Amino acid sequence: MPHVYETDGAEIYRQSFRMIREEAELGRFSRAEERVAVRMIHAAGMVGLSPHIRFSPGFALTAVAALQKGAPILCDARMVSEGITRARLPAANPVLCTLHDATVPERARYMANTRSAAALELWRPHLAGAVVAIGNAPTALFHLLNMLEDPACPRPAAIIGCPVGFVGAAESKDALWKAQPVPCCIVEGRLGGSAITVAAVNALASAAE
């Protein structure tokens, strides 16, 4: 017999978000934060993610306002940049990933750092007022924090810092949360990744579910 399953995409979303709101601990989030958290949980398929999501004061409203003003979105990995739904962007916002720029390998050798970190040097002309989305590389988040220690470095509007992994991921997010150079969002510990980061951007970009 053929499998019977829900085939209406919109209904799948409605049921998914209803189940998340019924099962996840969302009471500590503001309305704007809850929308972001629900999409992050949906991307992870894990209602237990909610206790690990942290928003600094004003993060969600600041990031939404920046996107509505046309802020660029700076991504550490192509998996992040490709996952952002362009139709949700409120102002045809530029989405930029510099990881595969031809100059990055030589920059990385000169810096004695990863390509992910070296690629951020190409962000400098675009960084002021941007929304940063780091979902893969802890070294990128660490390097961004080092860049922002320089008062002359342009300041982004907000940072989504959700790199995933076993080496440096938890530590880089702890460093961001401690420093909070601008409003930020993290997922504590080793959890994170491109899908969760993309979900946060898409939720900030549009209130539509």
Side-chain angles (χ1 to χ4, degrees):
M1 293 182 63
H3 294 284
V4 178
Y5 56 94
E6 180 60 66
T7 59
D8 184 323
E11 182 59 25
I12 291 170
Y13 269 103
R14 282 192 291 271
Q15 290 186 31
S16 296
F17 293 146
R18 175 183 56 77
M19 293 169 71
I20 290 167
R21 289 190 168 96
E22 289 175 352
E23 298 177 24
E25 298 176 6
L26 303 171
R28 63 188 175 87
F29 299 126
S30 71
R31 187 170 182 177
E33 291 169 348
E34 179 189 300
R35 187 171 72 246
V36 180
V38 166
R39 277 197 167 263
M40 294 171 80
I41 292 165
H42 180 258
M46 178 182 173
V47 294
L49 187 71
S50 61
H52 303 285
I53 300 171
R54 292 283 180 267
F55 300 108
S56 69
F59 162 80
L61 295 179
T62 298
V64 167
L67 292 173
Q68 290 176 346
K69 292 176 183 176
I73 303 166
L74 307 183
C75 307
D76 69 320
R78 286 285 296 275
M79 288 181 67
V80 177
S81 63
E82 293 301 316
I84 294 169
T85 304
R86 296 332 193 245
R88 294 181 67 89
L89 297 176
N93 306 71
V95 179
L96 180 67
C97 176
T98 55
L99 182 60
H100 298 289
D101 186 276
T103 67
V104 166
E106 182 57 34
R107 288 176 185 272
R109 284 190 289 271
Y110 177 78
M111 293 167 57
N113 207 329
T114 65
R115 292 190 300 114
S116 295
L120 269 63
E121 289 296 321
L122 299 173
W123 286 8
R124 291 183 184 271
H126 313 281
L127 198 54
V131 173
V132 170
I134 295 179
N136 182 63
T139 56
L141 184 51
F142 273 129
H143 189 63
L144 177 63
L145 291 172
N146 288 340
M147 289 168 61
L148 293 176
E149 287 182 0
D150 180 358
C153 182
R155 318 300 278 186
I159 299 170
I160 302 166
C162 297
V164 63
F166 296 90
V167 178
E171 293 83 356
S172 65
K173 290 177 283 189
D174 286 346
L176 172 59
W177 193 250
K178 181 178 180 180
Q180 293 192 25
V182 299
C184 61
C185 164
I186 68 167
V187 174
E188 297 173 319
R190 295 172 173 175
L191 299 170
S194 298
I196 289 173
T197 304
V198 165
V201 174
N202 286 337
L204 294 163
S206 173
E209 291 195 334

